[in-house]
Amino acid sequence: MLLNKIENKVITGHRLTTDDALSLFQNDDIFTIGRLANIVAGRKNGNKAYFIQNHHINPTNICINRCKFCAFSRSKGEKGAYELSIGEIIDKLKEGQESRVKSQELSKKQLKSKKKNFKLLTHNSKLLTLFSEVHIVGGLHPDWDFGFYLEMLRAIKTNFPTIHTKAFTAVEIDYFSNISGLPLTETLQELNNAGLDSMPGGGAEIFDTRVRNRICPEKISGRRWLQVMEAAHRVGISTNATMLYGHLESYKNRVEHMLKLRDLQDRTGGFQAFIPLAFHPLNTKLGVRSQGSEVSKRNKTNPQSLTPNPCLYTSGIDDLKTIAISRLFLDNFQHIKAYWIMLGEKIAQLALMFGADDLDGTIIEEKITHSAGALSGSALTRAQLINLIEKTGKIPVERDSFYNRVKR
Amino acid sequence: MKRLTKKQALTLFKSADLLGLGMMADNVRKKLHPERIVSFIIDRNINYTNVCINKCKFCAFYRNEDDPEAYILSKRNLFNKIKETISLGGTQILIQGGLHPKLDIDYYVDLLKSIKERFPIHIHGFSPPEVCYMADKANLPIKKTLQILNEAGLDSIPGGGAEILSDRIREQISPKKIGKDRWLEVMKQAHRIGMKTTATMMFGSVEEPEDIIEHLDAIRRLQDKTNGFTAFIPWSFQPGNTELGGRGKGQGARGKEFKIQNSKPNSSLATRHLSLSTATAVDYLRVLALSRIYLDNVPNIQASWVTQGIKMAQIALRFGANDFGSTMIEENVVAAAGVKYKVSVRDIISAVRSSGFHPAQRDMYYKIIKNSNL
């Protein structure tokens, strides 16, 4: 059988071809695929599953790109458009810290009264009261200049010197380079000097040009995205990589996307984690679910416009397979992240048994995915994340931004 | 495959890895349902009253008789709901409610007759606790009570109120509810007079693996005798707004009597002990898979999208389930615990398809009434 051949490759540590990956997507045996991915995950990260205490800040939803899969962005002056000042960003981070102190005190009391032995919590008398990472991504604001972003980074570093700043997708970096007139490398160096520690992997979407032109025509090309990442890696900024799937792409597009990432990783080694992102259709131009949205109106007046088939939520089975296949194919990525905000905590938990080793974070204030009808809540506590991980038989490890264990 | 003993089941449940358990369950499902059809029923849950003297600790739906939110559904309302159900392609109503001290068997007989006079619809109704309550109040044996209801128009009986069929657990979570033996007795008598029923299990509260096996074994043994269960439906305890789960969660609450401790809906306190004390996705799939493997004489296993969400229900189709349950034009009980997944027939059809199965509308007897190309 086809799977036998791939199984042999996996067991002997041979790299999978694009044909192998494609045949895995077409294969129905999720149990074998999951088992193999789990073997690879074990080789890379032992029995560990990571999480981080982090805080999301989306400085603005005003964006000159209006990607069709996005329910978050607004045009300037549009209802619901917002922009945060640097002072407001600092305040939000301070609030986030305080609420954590409070909720952890409460949780200790509650757990004691419930008489359950959540060992991890109770024998750690001194709980960390800070999140260790702030994650900043936002829209491409037409009026903000490059200096504003540098100032934002500096203000965060000054106020929170121990917090790691993970900020700006490749799309934003490219935009900064445009508005500052600086070459990519210098743009990145300036940001780095101002306090940018690492970069998230967003904006990759799907590299395939035809699909990309249909879902996000204004956004930088896949090639440019890869260029930005390569430049970041060369400057010494490590990044993540994502893939948005479940819209108009084919399995082949997914495999080709992953191949480009694998090739770049061979050259730079600068990617930390790969994060497959399931498309969320609500309130976007690709999904026609919510009535009265721009999409349903547009479809009424011009049924041929946009998509022939409305995009729906991906199936849970597809989510798990995509995690597993990415673990098998991306042999040079150390981590596969089951981003629970996108997948929902249930699927993210199962993903840990299909090759993923990271659930991402406790996350305060996620806005982007929730605009598109994310099925998850918008925050999980440390205790909840630990519980989810332990139920899979893995060892929960709270990490910092570089996957070092955070000691408590 | 040889039938699993209780001991084997316990070992399997405690030590087998999830994927291994899933693979076994998937193989059983393939053998029983090789045609790759996943069925569902279009029906509506109608809760005739929320007044209930049982006051189970896991329930967020019940009210006291004098509560401002207590209600008994009027016939006009009821008929409108049924009309709407039929117009939406529905073939069945599921009538369930609470144990209301003012309602007696005459009320139910009248209710059933008045529906059947007006509508050609299957009535799936009254779980064993309700049947027992009617019987006790009327001083009738269970069998006679069931015959009266059946003659008045009751077609089949839902498997609710089973919770965990272990009296040790029932004493803790639903001390006033009928015990394991009476629940089984109602089902046995119903099967004897030719009525089909389903069976449920609510896990993820305070039970141990042994209790789950005891439950499955009780169902399997009765099924060996009567063959009256059409399906088994495991679901997990939903703690929002319940005595057992705490009263923190504010969203979706119908009850003002539950103080909301924290006004921020997304605050960590509000969601904290919910997912700590209750079944996670892994727990759900393990129980589902074990049910499929253990209950070799129950033809159908339902995925519970109402408690798990659509994506989990899709995955459940590979962990033993072959049925998507009801489309639930209306659902109030789980919603009262703060869990709402809004789903249309179209959503269910496309969810089944994208999982690689053929969706088909069925009736309560699992006869296909409308196939795939809906």
Side-chain angles (χ1 to χ4, degrees):
Chain A
M1 284 226 315
L2 203 58
L3 259 184
N4 284 343
K5 194 187 100 200
I6 294 173
E7 180 159 3
N8 278 335
K9 279 191 180 180
V10 172
I11 301 297
T12 55
H14 284 83
R15 183 163 261 200
L16 299 190
T17 64
T18 49
D19 283 347
D20 292 335
L22 200 56
S23 69
L24 286 175
F25 272 114
Q26 285 149 355
N27 195 298
D28 196 35
D29 186 357
I30 57 168
F31 302 104
T32 302
I33 295 171
R35 184 169 52 80
L36 293 177
N38 216 5
I39 290 172
V40 175
R43 258 185 227 151
K44 296 255 180 205
N45 298 293
N47 201 26
K48 294 195 281 280
Y50 296 95
F51 69 97
I52 187 167
Q53 302 221 55
N54 59 355
H55 193 122
H56 276 220
I57 297 275
N58 306 121
T60 181
N61 62 353
I62 298 173
C63 189
I64 58 167
N65 284 355
R66 297 309 300 272
C67 302
K68 294 181 174 45
F69 53 79
C70 181
F72 174 69
S73 71
R74 297 285 182 280
S75 297
K76 210 184 154 190
E78 192 180 334
K79 206 178 150 206
Y82 77 86
E83 47 188 55
L84 300 179
S85 68
I86 289 171
E88 284 167 331
I89 289 170
I90 301 295
D91 286 348
K92 273 183 182 286
L93 291 174
K94 281 188 181 152
E95 267 169 43
Q97 277 190 25
E98 280 157 20
S99 74
R100 266 166 214 241
V101 178
K102 271 186 214 149
S103 75
Q104 277 171 350
E105 279 164 3
L106 273 168
S107 81
K108 269 203 264 179
K109 269 186 221 159
Q110 266 180 359
L111 289 176
K112 263 182 206 155
S113 68
K114 282 199 93 183
K115 283 189 295 188
K116 292 210 170 182
N117 59 337
F118 296 110
K119 287 175 206 141
L120 259 150
L121 270 175
T122 44
H123 76 82
N124 284 318
S125 51
K126 205 177 155 208
L127 289 159
L128 192 73
T129 51
L130 292 177
F131 43 89
S132 61
E133 178 185 279
V134 54
H135 177 121
I136 305 174
V137 293
L140 308 184
H141 196 291
D143 303 333
W144 288 355
D145 60 15
F146 187 45
F148 177 80
Y149 294 97
L150 296 176
E151 206 187 311
M152 182 195 299
L153 292 169
R154 281 190 212 108
I156 293 169
K157 265 287 171 277
T158 312
N159 283 280
F160 310 96
T162 59
I163 291 179
H164 178 104
T165 304
K166 180 175 176 184
F168 309 132
T169 63
V171 182
E172 289 163 281
I173 302 292
D174 168 78
Y175 184 63
F176 299 161
S177 162
N178 287 341
I179 58 178
S180 67
L182 295 172
L184 265 185
T185 305
E186 267 176 64
T187 309
L188 286 158
Q189 269 161 349
E190 291 247 7
L191 290 163
N192 195 204
N193 292 340
L196 176 78
D197 298 305
S198 67
M199 281 165 53
E205 321 312 356
I206 275 283
F207 294 143
D208 180 82
T209 314
R210 280 186 57 206
V211 177
R212 203 173 177 86
N213 283 341
R214 291 181 68 193
I215 64 172
C216 50
E218 291 112 338
K219 189 168 269 183
I220 58 169
S221 67
R223 224 174 111 191
R224 181 67 176 164
W225 189 94
L226 290 159
Q227 271 172 10
V228 173
M229 285 311 192
E230 183 157 6
H233 296 170
R234 302 262 182 240
V235 170
I237 298 171
S238 58
T239 76
N240 287 335
T242 61
M243 172 174 77
L244 185 74
Y245 67 94
H247 40 86
L248 305 175
E249 89 293 351
S250 63
Y251 288 145
K252 194 157 169 267
N253 297 145
R254 294 189 201 181
V255 174
E256 282 165 357
H257 184 99
M258 291 195 284
L259 179 66
K260 291 206 163 92
L261 293 174
R262 193 171 75 177
D263 287 346
L264 178 55
Q265 179 75 334
D266 276 344
R267 293 203 298 279
T268 65
F271 287 122
Q272 286 192 298
F274 176 69
I275 313 161
L277 301 174
F279 170 67
H280 284 65
L282 259 191
N283 306 324
T284 71
K285 289 188 190 173
L286 292 181
V288 295
R289 289 290 121 151
S290 49
Q291 301 230 324
S293 70
E294 201 179 328
V295 183
S296 55
K297 274 185 235 151
R298 193 194 280 232
N299 278 3
K300 256 180 219 158
T301 52
N302 178 11
Q304 266 86 50
S305 73
L306 292 173
T307 59
N309 299 306
C311 297
L312 307 170
Y313 283 102
T314 54
S315 86
I317 295 169
D318 192 15
D319 292 341
L320 294 180
K321 266 172 86 174
T322 304
I323 290 270
I325 295 165
S326 70
R327 179 61 290 170
L328 293 170
F329 187 74
L330 296 173
D331 57 352
N332 52 4
F333 275 65
Q334 185 66 25
H335 303 287
I336 301 293
K337 189 185 285 190
Y339 188 46
W340 70 265
I341 277 281
M342 277 282 197
L343 293 173
E345 55 267 35
K346 286 176 190 286
I347 308 291
Q349 185 197 28
L350 296 177
L352 295 179
M353 308 179 100
F354 282 78
D357 61 278
D358 187 5
L359 285 181
D360 199 74
T362 45
I363 302 181
I364 293 186
E365 281 231 341
E366 205 288 334
K367 290 208 172 98
I368 298 178
T369 313
H370 283 90
S371 312
L375 306 170
S376 59
S378 69
L380 279 181
T381 64
R382 184 169 186 274
Q384 284 172 322
L385 282 168
I386 289 170
N387 182 50
L388 286 178
I389 292 168
E390 284 182 333
K391 287 277 180 81
T392 68
K394 306 252 167 183
I395 303 157
V397 176
E398 183 176 344
R399 64 170 177 87
D400 66 13
S401 306
F402 296 112
Y403 289 85
N404 300 307
R405 181 190 290 269
V406 172
K407 294 228 171 73
R408 312 205 160 266
Chain B
M1 203 173 81
K2 262 187 89 180
R3 179 170 260 202
L4 229 53
T5 64
K6 274 169 85 167
K7 214 176 143 197
Q8 286 167 335
L10 190 62
T11 312
L12 193 67
F13 189 50
K14 281 184 167 171
S15 53
D17 72 293
L18 176 70
L19 293 185
L21 212 51
M23 204 170 189
M24 283 174 75
D26 200 40
N27 284 333
V28 175
R29 191 264 312 157
K30 273 181 196 157
K31 234 173 244 162
L32 290 171
H33 304 279
E35 64 293 330
R36 289 190 80 84
I37 285 175
V38 167
S39 47
F40 63 90
I41 188 162
I42 301 183
D43 82 346
R44 174 173 207 150
N45 276 15
I46 298 177
N47 304 111
Y48 57 91
T49 182
N50 61 352
V51 172
C52 188
I53 57 160
N54 265 357
K55 303 181 185 179
C56 299
K57 294 176 183 167
F58 52 79
C59 179
F61 179 68
Y62 75 83
R63 294 290 178 270
N64 290 325
E65 207 183 338
D66 56 2
D67 190 285
E69 289 183 344
Y71 73 84
I72 297 176
L73 205 65
S74 72
K75 273 195 181 167
R76 220 183 105 200
N77 252 331
L78 175 75
F79 296 152
N80 280 338
K81 283 173 189 284
I82 297 174
K83 240 182 255 163
E84 196 185 29
T85 305
I86 291 171
S87 75
L88 290 167
T91 58
Q92 167 178 299
I93 50 166
L94 167 57
I95 299 196
Q96 286 188 117
L99 311 188
H100 194 305
K102 295 258 164 65
L103 301 179
D104 57 19
I105 194 154
D106 296 336
Y107 165 83
Y108 295 100
V109 166
D110 174 60
L111 189 77
L112 292 164
K113 280 187 177 158
S114 68
I115 296 170
K116 283 288 183 186
E117 272 164 19
R118 287 169 180 80
F119 304 103
I121 197 153
H122 182 102
I123 306 179
H124 187 52
F126 312 128
S127 62
E130 289 163 280
V131 173
C132 286
Y133 191 58
M134 292 177 214
D136 289 352
K137 282 187 73 176
N139 217 355
L140 289 168
I142 286 169
K143 191 175 180 184
K144 182 75 196 159
T145 310
L146 286 165
Q147 277 165 338
I148 291 170
L149 293 170
N150 192 207
E151 273 161 33
L154 183 65
D155 295 300
S156 59
I157 291 187
E163 322 315 353
I164 290 282
L165 292 172
S166 148
D167 286 331
R168 189 179 76 83
I169 300 303
R170 300 176 83 79
E171 272 159 33
Q172 294 176 59
I173 63 174
S174 51
K176 292 183 189 155
K177 191 170 265 182
I178 56 168
K180 172 187 180 181
D181 290 346
R182 282 200 94 192
W183 190 94
L184 289 165
E185 181 63 20
V186 172
M187 290 313 194
K188 190 165 106 188
Q189 296 303 340
H191 298 167
R192 289 263 152 87
I193 65 168
M195 291 170 92
K196 293 287 182 187
T197 80
T198 57
T200 66
M201 172 168 71
M202 186 197 76
F203 63 95
S205 63
V206 296
E207 82 288 343
E208 301 289 332
E210 286 80 0
D211 302 308
I212 288 176
I213 309 287
E214 187 184 333
H215 184 111
L216 294 176
D217 193 59
I219 301 292
R220 192 171 76 177
R221 270 190 291 161
L222 180 55
Q223 180 76 336
D224 275 344
K225 285 188 208 135
T226 63
N227 203 27
F229 291 119
T230 56
F232 183 69
I233 313 152
W235 62 57
S236 64
F237 165 56
Q238 304 297 317
N241 300 324
T242 68
E243 191 180 335
L244 204 57
R247 291 157 180 182
K249 197 165 183 181
Q251 305 115 304
R254 289 160 54 98
K256 278 181 210 136
E257 73 186 83
F258 298 124
K259 280 216 183 77
I260 293 158
Q261 292 175 350
N262 200 317
S263 55
K264 282 188 200 160
N266 291 328
S267 76
S268 47
L269 174 67
T271 45
R272 174 175 312 280
H273 46 187
L274 306 187
S275 58
L276 277 185
S277 57
T278 57
T280 66
V282 170
D283 301 306
Y284 173 72
L285 292 181
R286 291 186 73 84
V287 170
L288 185 79
L290 181 75
S291 308
R292 179 62 288 172
I293 299 164
Y294 195 82
L295 297 175
D296 57 353
N297 53 2
V298 176
N300 302 290
I301 305 280
Q302 279 187 22
S304 175
W305 64 260
V306 179
T307 61
Q308 302 299 311
I310 286 284
K311 285 198 180 204
M312 277 298 293
Q314 291 172 318
I315 294 169
L317 298 178
R318 300 300 305 276
F319 283 76
N322 66 294
D323 188 86
F324 236 60
S326 150
T327 56
M328 305 243 180
I329 295 166
E330 179 181 346
E331 200 288 326
N332 303 308
V333 178
V334 178
V339 177
K340 276 184 197 163
Y341 293 102
K342 231 184 148 194
V343 167
S344 69
V345 175
R346 244 180 63 196
D347 290 328
I348 285 185
I349 288 169
S350 65
V352 168
R353 276 217 183 99
S354 69
S355 317
F357 294 91
H358 310 297
Q361 186 187 348
R362 63 162 172 86
D363 62 16
M364 194 274 164
Y365 306 103
Y366 288 79
K367 267 210 330 256
I368 303 301
I369 36 186
K370 212 169 170 192
N371 221 319
S372 250
N373 299 322
L374 287 151

